[in-house]
């Protein structure tokens, strides 16, 4: 009997490729749809090398309704994990229309095609940004959403509301809103990892690119936040733990209906300066950095209470910060130019 397929939009990207790997390793059939606006085809080739299977890949855009309808009519899809999105807070402040068009309109299209094809299981990549500037930490799901401080966060909140309305309108929908904290790390093989197109805006890729010599020094935005040392505090989570959360959420979706919200984080916050010191201690590389004014859209601090995912999904983050840094650095040092590194290094993978 043919296996049902999980469609992964944005599956060539950082979290999508790790989730594809986790699902394939769990025996699931996947189909990746990605327009490669922030990723490259090589990530799919690496997935194939890691899994020794052919990974079905379509280069295309979730804003293309006809393409989506064709995909749902040609493949036996029973669930979608929706990663496809623009994700830079900084760029979203400068180009809000791109963010609303890509993220919100793209999701709207996807849901239309899913409804037409009678596919009602959806896992959505949401973000801690929907909490806005939280009144208290750790953040629990029942704190309720706040006022996101930037257009990127507002697209995530709009999509959450859109999906909640959809589930209210039709009980066949089963939707997971996964609110990620700050994903870092890479698969232990060093074969797949975070490879943003252009200048990275998240801390870890900036750190590893400084360490490898692609960026001369790290810019630390803001030294006067009301935090332990004046720099922003975030809850960093290993991308492989995050991917495992998607597998568990998909399993839960198939036995439930309506909307479920789960935080995926570790519950521990680290400041930017603590991250620099930890990175230096783990890698032995000194990171030159300078302070710059606060960046528009950044909040002072946030970390998760992810106990709901523990109780309801049987999920918990297992990998600590040292492991996250070791794996991020292995990826970057084996692939100095990301997926464009040439020749492709030989990996010893157990
Ligand atoms: P990523 O940029 O590596 O992956 C997103 C992928 O989506 C890319 O491969 C990109 O090419 C693709 N894409 C973008 N627009 C598309 C479109 N219109 N059609 C088809 N493909 C499209 O980012 P990521 O870090 O893997 O993030 C994945 C998801 O998780 C995103 O929705 C992001 O908003 C969310 N998220 C990320 C973080 C983080 O810090 N990385 C935190 C919270 C939430």
């Amino acid at each position: 009997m043919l296996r049902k397929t999980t469609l992964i939009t944005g599956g060539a990207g950082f979290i999508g490729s790790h989730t594809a790997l986790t699902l394939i390793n769990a025996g699931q059939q996947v189909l990746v749809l990605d327009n490669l606006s922030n990723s490259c085809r090589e990530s799919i080739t690496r997935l194939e090398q890691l899994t020794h299977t052919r990974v079905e890949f379509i280069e295309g855009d979730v804003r293309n309704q006809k393409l989506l309808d064709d995909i749902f009519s040609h493949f036996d899809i029973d669930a979608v994990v929706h990663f496809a999105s623009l994700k830079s807070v900084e760029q979203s402040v400068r180009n809000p229309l791109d963010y609303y068009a890509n993220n919100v309109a793209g999701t709207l299209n996807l849901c239309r095609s899913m409804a037409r094809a009678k596919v009602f299981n959806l896992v959505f990549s949401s973000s801690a940004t929907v909490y806005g500037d939280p009144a208290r930490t750790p953040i629990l799901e029942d704190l309720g959403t706040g006022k996101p401080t930037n257009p990127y966060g507002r697209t995530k909140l709009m999509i959450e509301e859109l999906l909640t309305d959809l589930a209210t309108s039709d009980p066949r929908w089963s939707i997971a809103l996964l609110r990620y904290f700050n994903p870092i790390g890479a698969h232990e093989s060093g074969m797949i990892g975070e490879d943003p197109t252009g200048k990275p805006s998240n801390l870890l890729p900036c750190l590893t690119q400084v360490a490898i010599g692609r960026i001369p020094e790290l810019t630390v935005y803001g030294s006067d936040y009301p935090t332990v040392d004046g720099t922003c505090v975030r809850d960093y989570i290993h991308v492989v733990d995050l991917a495992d959360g998607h597998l568990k959420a998909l399993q839960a979706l198939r036995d439930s209906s309506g909307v479920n919200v789960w935080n995926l984080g570790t519950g521990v916050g680290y400041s930017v300066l603590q991250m620099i010191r930890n990175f230096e201690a783990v890698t032995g590389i000194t990171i030159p950095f300078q302070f710059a004014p606060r960046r528009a859209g950044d909040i002072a601090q946030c970390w998760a209470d992810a106990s709901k995912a523990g109780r309801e999904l049987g999920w918990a983050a297992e990998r600590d910060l040292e492991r996250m840094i070791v794996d991020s650095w292995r990826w970057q040092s084996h692939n100095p130019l990301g997926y464009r590194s040439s020749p492709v290094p030989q990996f010893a993978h157990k």
Side-chain angles (χ1 to χ4, degrees):
M1 201 177 72
L2 277 179
R3 277 181 300 167
K4 297 275 188 190
T5 297
T6 300
L7 171 65
I8 306 181
T9 74
F14 172 45
I15 307 169
S17 56
H18 286 81
T19 302
L21 179 60
T22 296
L23 297 190
I24 295 168
N25 285 343
Q28 300 199 12
Q29 183 88 30
V30 307
L31 163 64
V32 172
L33 169 69
D34 199 302
N35 67 0
L36 304 183
S37 58
N38 197 39
S39 52
C40 44
R41 181 73 176 74
E42 175 66 16
S43 70
I44 304 296
T45 306
R46 302 271 183 104
L47 271 182
E48 291 180 329
Q49 290 167 357
L50 273 171
T51 58
H52 307 288
T53 55
R54 197 175 89 77
V55 176
E56 201 78 55
F57 172 70
I58 295 174
E59 183 175 345
D61 200 299
V62 290
R63 287 165 294 176
N64 182 340
Q65 192 86 63
K66 165 134 190 1
L67 173 67
L68 289 177
D69 285 338
D70 286 350
I71 288 173
F72 282 103
S73 64
H74 280 93
F75 293 87
D76 192 9
I77 294 166
D78 76 332
V80 178
V81 187
H82 181 37
F83 293 103
S85 162
L86 298 177
K87 66 162 183 178
S88 160
V89 166
E90 213 179 349
Q91 279 175 20
S92 78
V93 174
R94 279 188 271 115
N95 307 315
L97 294 184
D98 288 352
Y99 275 69
Y100 288 107
N102 197 79
N103 299 2
V104 181
T107 305
L108 209 98
N109 272 1
L110 176 67
C111 292
R112 266 201 208 104
S113 292
M114 287 178 70
R116 282 203 271 267
K118 298 194 170 31
V119 176
F120 295 106
N121 294 324
L122 174 66
V123 176
F124 173 62
S125 291
S126 192
S127 162
T129 56
V130 300
Y131 293 112
D133 199 348
R136 58 184 162 82
T137 44
I139 301 174
L140 271 164
E141 293 85 348
D142 64 10
L143 182 66
T145 52
K147 239 180 125 26
T149 54
N150 54 73
Y152 164 72
R154 282 188 277 280
T155 68
K156 292 289 175 189
L157 183 56
M158 277 183 189
I159 296 167
E160 284 203 0
E161 288 173 343
L162 179 165
L163 295 175
T164 304
D165 288 341
L166 192 59
T168 306
S169 74
D170 184 336
R172 287 174 296 177
W173 284 95
S174 182
I175 299 174
L177 307 177
L178 301 185
R179 294 182 181 154
Y180 314 155
F181 282 67
N182 287 68
I184 62 171
H187 186 253
E188 61 179 3
S189 63
M191 284 184 70
I192 56 173
E194 184 166 14
D195 183 26
T197 306
K199 192 170 165 282
S201 53
N202 289 349
L203 177 61
L204 240 288
C206 290
L207 263 175
T208 57
Q209 290 194 18
V210 170
I212 204 79
R214 278 171 66 180
I215 301 176
E217 65 179 3
L218 184 76
T219 305
V220 178
Y221 296 99
S223 56
D224 57 350
Y225 285 100
T227 59
V228 57
D229 55 23
T231 63
C232 290
V233 172
R234 296 289 181 269
D235 179 340
Y236 295 93
I237 172 169
H238 198 294
V239 65
V240 175
D241 282 331
L242 196 65
D244 189 43
H246 291 72
L247 176 65
K248 299 218 157 97
L250 270 172
Q251 285 159 351
L253 274 191
R254 293 185 166 107
D255 305 322
S256 67
S257 72
V259 170
N260 279 291
V261 183
W262 289 295
N263 282 342
L264 298 181
T266 62
V268 184
Y270 291 96
S271 75
V272 177
L273 292 182
Q274 288 169 339
M275 289 298 286
I276 295 173
R277 300 299 170 229
N278 274 291
F279 188 87
E280 290 180 332
V282 170
T283 62
I285 298 169
T286 302
I287 300 293
F289 67 89
Q290 61 162 354
F291 288 108
R294 292 180 180 196
R295 198 166 52 170
D298 281 341
I299 59 165
Q301 58 185 6
C302 75
W303 59 90
D305 181 323
S307 52
K308 183 169 183 277
R311 282 192 311 276
E312 297 178 1
L313 300 177
W315 176 89
E318 287 172 2
R319 294 161 179 83
D320 64 9
L321 184 64
E322 182 177 346
R323 178 73 189 275
M324 298 183 215
I325 293 174
V326 165
D327 288 341
S328 292
W329 180 234
R330 184 187 300 107
W331 153 252
Q332 186 73 78
S333 53
H334 285 188
N335 305 270
L337 297 176
Y339 289 113
R340 284 157 288 271
S341 301
S342 176
V344 176
Q346 295 302 305
F347 299 92
H349 179 57
K350 50 181 179 136

